[in-house]
Amino acid sequence: MNILDKIIADKHKELLLKKLVVPVSQLENSALFKRETVSLANALRESKSGIIAEHKRRSPSKSIINQSLNIEDVARGYERAGVSGMSVLTDGKYFGGSLDDLLYARAAVKMPILRKEFIIDEYQLLEAKAHGADVILLIAAVLEREQIKQLSEFAKNLGLDVLLEVHNEEELKKSIMPSLDMLGVNNRNLKTFKVSTQISKDLSEKIPDDFVKVSESGISSAEAIKELKQYGYEGFLIGENFMKTNNPGENAKKFIEELSS
């Protein structure tokens, strides 16, 4: 059983408990549920940098990244830096995140916020909407085509943008459908955790132009982004590169300035 299998097995257990504690009606009646969302796909199309900056305390591959920062400060710093959107990890057991992180980030900034989570159930989409997310992530490696269709259509009905993440051509082929806004290529091999942007380059021509192309993981230099832009990528998810510093916002600002130089 690889790490992704373990996470999904735990997610099923977690969801059983959550549904008992917080009914759907409570989520639908929350103050943020009727909020009009902001499109990350549109923000990326209009952005010069295309940076989606992430808040991530730890990960299975890197253990602790940064647990000392206030998420509201991080969110404001990212927004001041001029990023296109923010990704907030809400998984607790493996990444040290929570739905409260989403609420605090939403209270602090106006930019699009992605709920980064291992989504397997419509309930999690209702949670995302109720806690102020604009975008949700679906991971092709853990979902069948029919599940991707069902979840992405449900998300669109809630007014949420959908970013679908793939790791290889097989996942990409099963996933292409009109209910997606963005197709993300994760540069991290899930089996070895090795990272290479070559996979983004290899898959770029196979992603139809209807979708905003996003490259995820292992992007640590302005040069890497400039290169990936030549392959049609408009979005770049960066987490550890900013979060491992004492001031993620300031580092994001310097990174974006470097990009435009």
Side-chain angles (χ1 to χ4, degrees):
M1 191 184 258
N2 66 29
I3 187 66
L4 200 53
D5 294 332
K6 285 180 188 167
I7 292 172
I8 296 303
D10 283 336
K11 203 56 63 178
H12 279 287
K13 293 175 197 166
E14 183 187 303
L15 274 167
L16 285 172
L17 290 171
K18 278 187 164 188
K19 288 177 182 181
L20 290 172
V21 176
V22 183
V24 165
S25 59
Q26 189 174 323
L27 294 172
E28 291 176 335
N29 289 324
S30 68
L32 288 170
F33 198 81
K34 293 179 178 63
R35 170 185 162 268
E36 195 168 325
T37 52
V38 186
S39 171
L40 177 61
N42 289 345
L44 292 174
R45 286 190 190 100
E46 293 161 11
S47 167
K48 285 180 181 162
S49 75
I51 304 290
I52 306 162
E54 191 154 85
H55 180 269
K56 176 161 64 172
R57 292 187 179 88
R58 53 187 165 87
S59 75
S61 62
K62 287 282 171 77
S63 189
I64 292 171
I65 298 164
N66 194 330
Q67 304 210 115
S68 63
L69 298 172
N70 178 309
I71 187 166
E72 291 161 287
D73 293 339
V74 174
R76 289 190 194 102
Y78 280 156
E79 191 165 64
R80 280 196 299 271
V83 304
S84 304
M86 180 176 179
S87 165
V88 176
L89 269 142
T90 60
D91 173 78
K93 183 172 180 180
Y94 296 91
F95 291 87
S98 71
L99 279 164
D100 282 347
D101 287 338
L102 206 50
L103 279 179
Y104 289 130
R106 176 77 287 151
V109 296
K110 300 271 194 294
M111 65 180 163
I113 296 179
L114 162 72
R115 180 190 187 187
K116 197 169 186 195
E117 180 57 90
F118 300 87
I119 289 176
I120 51 173
D121 192 290
E122 289 176 359
Y123 181 85
Q124 293 163 290
L125 305 180
L126 296 170
E127 281 183 327
K129 188 75 164 71
H131 289 78
D134 302 283
V135 197
I136 56 103
L137 175 77
L138 298 179
I139 303 171
V142 300
L143 300 167
E144 300 296 331
R145 180 177 171 84
E146 195 47 48
Q147 288 175 294
I148 295 169
K149 184 175 187 295
Q150 173 205 344
L151 290 167
S152 58
E153 287 176 356
F154 191 83
K156 295 308 293 175
N157 286 335
L158 292 173
L160 297 164
D161 266 12
V162 180
L163 167 63
L164 185 113
E165 174 181 299
V166 301
H167 298 84
N168 53 48
E169 189 174 352
E170 184 188 356
E171 290 176 7
L172 178 63
K173 280 181 176 172
K174 80 170 181 184
S175 306
I176 293 173
M177 58 187 72
S179 45
L180 309 175
D181 301 285
M182 296 159 281
L183 271 161
V185 179
N186 193 326
N187 300 308
R188 178 173 279 114
N189 184 308
L190 289 178
K191 294 189 173 74
T192 64
F193 276 100
K194 285 184 180 169
V195 175
S196 168
T197 56
Q198 190 58 44
I199 185 67
S200 282
K201 295 170 189 173
D202 292 344
L203 291 183
S204 62
E205 286 184 9
K206 297 177 173 70
I207 301 173
D209 291 335
D210 315 7
F211 306 104
V212 175
K213 296 178 191 177
V214 179
S215 186
E216 306 170 18
S217 298
I219 299 167
S220 56
S221 69
E223 285 67 38
I225 287 183
K226 287 173 183 174
E227 195 177 356
L228 285 164
K229 281 188 174 187
Q230 293 171 22
Y231 288 82
Y233 285 91
E234 295 176 282
F236 309 93
L237 184 69
I238 301 178
E240 284 168 26
N241 202 48
F242 300 147
M243 283 300 295
K244 67 187 178 187
T245 69
N246 290 327
N247 192 331
E250 189 56 36
N251 279 272
K253 184 172 179 280
K254 286 176 187 167
F255 193 94
I256 289 170
E257 284 168 358
E258 204 180 321
L259 254 184
S260 55
S261 64

